[in-house]
Amino acid sequence: MKRFWRVLFRRPVAAASLVVLVLLYGGMIFAEVLSPYAPTTVFRESAYHPPNVRLWSSELGLRLQIQKYALVDEINWRYAPIRGEYVPVKLFVQGPEYRMWGLFPASVHLFGTEEAYPGYSADWSAAGRTYPVYLMGADNLGRDLFTRILYGSRISLTIGFIGIAISLTLAIVLGGLAGYFGGFADWLIMRVAEFVILIPGLYLILFLRSLLSRDMDSGQSFILITVILSFVGWPGSARLIRGLVHSIKREDFVINAQLESIPALVIIFRHIIPQMASILIVSITLGIPGFILGETVLSYLGLGIVDPAVSWGSLLNREVTTLSNLRSFPWFLYPGLFLLLTTLAFNFLGDLLRDVLDPYYRERRLGS
Amino acid sequence: MILTVENLSVDFATGGGLLHAVRDVSFTLDAGEVVGIVGESGSGKSVTAQSILRIIPANGRIAAGDIRFRDRSVLALDGEELRRFRGREVAMIFQEPGRSFDPIYSIGKSLAETIRAHQPDLGEDEIRERSIRLLEEVHVTNPERRLENFPHQFSGGLLQRIMIAHALASDPTVLIADEPTTALDVTIQAGIVDLLLELRRRRNVAILFITHNLALISSFADRLVVMYGGLVMEEGRTVDVLRSPRHPYTAGLLASLVPFGAHHSQQSLFILSGAPPNPMAPEPGCPFAPRCPLAKPGCREAIPEIRTDGGSRVRCIVEGPK
Amino acid sequence: MIHFDSIVKHYPLEAGFFAREEHKVFAVNGVDFRVEPGEIYGLVGESGCGKTTTARLLVRMERLTGGNILFRSRDGREFRLAGIGRADLAALRSRVRYVFQDPARSLNPRLSIREVLLSGYRYSPRWPGRSRAEEEARSLIQEVGLSVGDLDRRPADFSGGQRQRISIARALITQPEVLICDEVVSALDVSIQGQILNLLLRLREERGLTMIFIAHDLAVVGYVSDRIGVMYRGVLVEEAPARTLMANRRHPYTQYLFESLPVLRTDGESHRRRGDPALRATFSRRADATENPVSDATFLEMDEPEPGHRVSRIFSDAPRR
């Protein structure tokens, strides 16, 4: 652990990645408080509203303000800033009610406004809206994109862990059995693995997904996507693990364990697999982005998460439909930016862990 | 003197801090001389040898001292000069010959490559002729045929001979042998020692022989350097060191050898209690003090200076033979 | 009592459907000897002579190709290695324990010493329950010269000699009758070897252990063993009480092997190769392991020139002194 911090200190990119991941997962955990609205809060009159938060330096120091916009082109949803009209951004304001982590009812949000939305009163609990704060713009129903990205991370950032957990469990069990027992078990498991590898991954995913009914709720499709991705993901790791088990089982301490009549399964999972902990940690870190991207691809193709649930992939799918759409409303790419940051951060962190845990990276012992 | 090592200190940066692998080591090697460096694991004997060729691992650093080869500092060499020094002046052979060969190169091919590196203007036929002569010199039978063979087709003893042939390809003046017989069976060891001595006689090559095997080195080294905990404990003529050791460690090491022909029913073993020092947590003073039967309070305070005692150089404050 | 009854071990050189039967390595070729209860039987020979394979056959790390090994336990139970059943094998393996050469590799680096001692014991037929076993581990770790506090540390925290003590403790925890010591001091520093040898001799005395002691260091084997068997190319070429063998070697290979051993010379006399050049010429040729040295079964008969001293007829056509 000491070594981890020492190496991290010397690698600013990895350190930044760690910070990014901490922030992202922090945002995911506290999405309800951090987001100004619920993902379903609609401002129909503000569809396709551009980001309106700006940093303003006054005599009092830096403060956040909202630039008021007026709708100038109702057909193309074009807005123009109204010069000199600003709304102050307030901290800890009342907003839509939610249950924190499904438990505690609350309605406080980290930031928002207390200014009346045209035609409504300024009291959220009475009117159900105040002047909207769009950190990253709004979608076609005037829903806040930032809020939706935070809620979307609940799927996008967890699917990696759950997916890698399932696929690595499969890989450890199958790879462990194949590597330890060899012979027919090895032959069978490895041929199945090769068969799965042989099929182009995307087509297999599409095929599996289309086999199953398309109208299922978001929870079911989340589980389904994870299972499909895990099923496609295990053979690579299984081959790696099989090779490692195969070489570790020749070590004296394994032979010693066999001589002690320790059952084979105990030897595999208690004595052999823990030896590769460092490799597994690295492959987990490097494997997570694959699952995140996998979910994105599925959702982007409309086979994954669908409304009202949100994930980063489904956000991209919903919003980035045409090129002209993208030209007019470039903030729709924000989910992609989050995706890119997460993927890069996991990869840099994986590289760091690999070096920290790699015994050959370690200083050589004193010879004689 | 061909080779002089003066007050050499080598440090390694490790996860647990700085490790002093070699501390203030000095010795000399004369033309045609055989000097044995004797020590146990962690004594710093291999690092000393690696320092001479400047091939210590990347996290190591020569912290102090100098290594001089014919009045030139080895530490000042770089680039082409260092390369020439490593090949032409000082060659090295290692413990496990099997690991030093590329398994997909035939012996002839790897030998040709070594020869070409030193004499780039030789033609194919000359190289082949020279390869055969080298193999003959190290007593590999049927050299013409053997050149076509691959490393796995040779026994450990033969591979060690071929490694010596590689070392000889550049006519070195000094040969450093780092535990060259440790991985070999006893019946093969003697043959390798024979060969090295023959080369010394014929080519007047000086040999620095690093080993943990006192019995092996006792019969052919002119001088011995005994190392422990990174320090030279005793240095002198082989006969003097072995017959009347001046350092309690040397005496203890000699006494703990199991004598040939001894049996447990008649004779109990001399036991040097304790374990070698932990290089990561060195204690002040003489590293042998915790195990030394003659230790005095002063031994644990400072590392004793080297002094001359009866023809040997000894790092011990207790005087006289042990 | 252990009887290695004309044991044979061949390894196939080729595997698969088209493998040719006749291509094989002849590792052990009809070795026959007995190890009496309470004695230390030394096995010596060069690498590849079959001494380790012989010992491994006893705990079924390798399977016999031919012959049989009979082990008669102190409680009268008999084990025959050829075709041994699963339950019998577990019982045998808790009575016959194997100690490896390099403790750095035979101890699982991720387990604490307590787990090292108990993880295997748990599956032995003699497992006495957690708290009783814990107690045994505590007393055993002290018996081999370490302290109770060491139970919570990991193998990497110990020096080579201490790790070998842990290996020995691990072997002893099932209260075995036989200890196979495979080069147990070879990886250790000279100044540590004596400590381990003394420990083994003390344990033998206190626990009445039988030992098979394998080593390439002839002085060490000569010191600890009661009897010694010398192997060459998978054949037992000579067997005698240790002191007899150290003084009077009859088989030409034994003479060659022992004379190759470097001895400490303090007389300043320069290196001179010892031994008979004719013997060297005969035995220094690299033996081809795929060639069966026993072409005729009568070669395996051994002469007994004096009681307890057996000499094989095979390879004995080399010049004798």
Side-chain angles (χ1 to χ4, degrees), chain B residues 107-135:
Chain B
I107 292 306
K109 199 172 169 195
S110 65
L111 203 50
E113 206 167 68
T114 305
I115 295 171
R116 202 173 290 125
H118 296 293
Q119 289 154 300
D121 41 338
L122 283 187
E124 283 300 318
D125 291 344
E126 290 166 301
I127 286 179
R128 187 176 158 78
E129 201 178 300
R130 196 158 152 60
S131 305
I132 291 169
R133 251 187 297 126
L134 281 170
L135 288 190

Side-chain angles (χ1 to χ4, degrees), chain B residues 9 43 109 228 303:
Chain B
S9 293
S43 64
K109 199 172 169 195
Y228 187 79
I303 294 173

Side-chain angles (χ1 to χ4, degrees), chain A residues 2-3 6 362-368, chain B residues 13 21 40-42 45-47 57 59:
Chain A
K2 232 171 83 186
R3 186 183 151 79
R6 206 178 53 240
R362 211 166 276 183
E363 298 85 347
R364 231 173 83 177
R365 278 259 179 93
L366 173 69
S368 62
Chain B
E40 299 178 276
S41 57
K45 57 188 193 299
S46 281
V47 176
N59 61 327

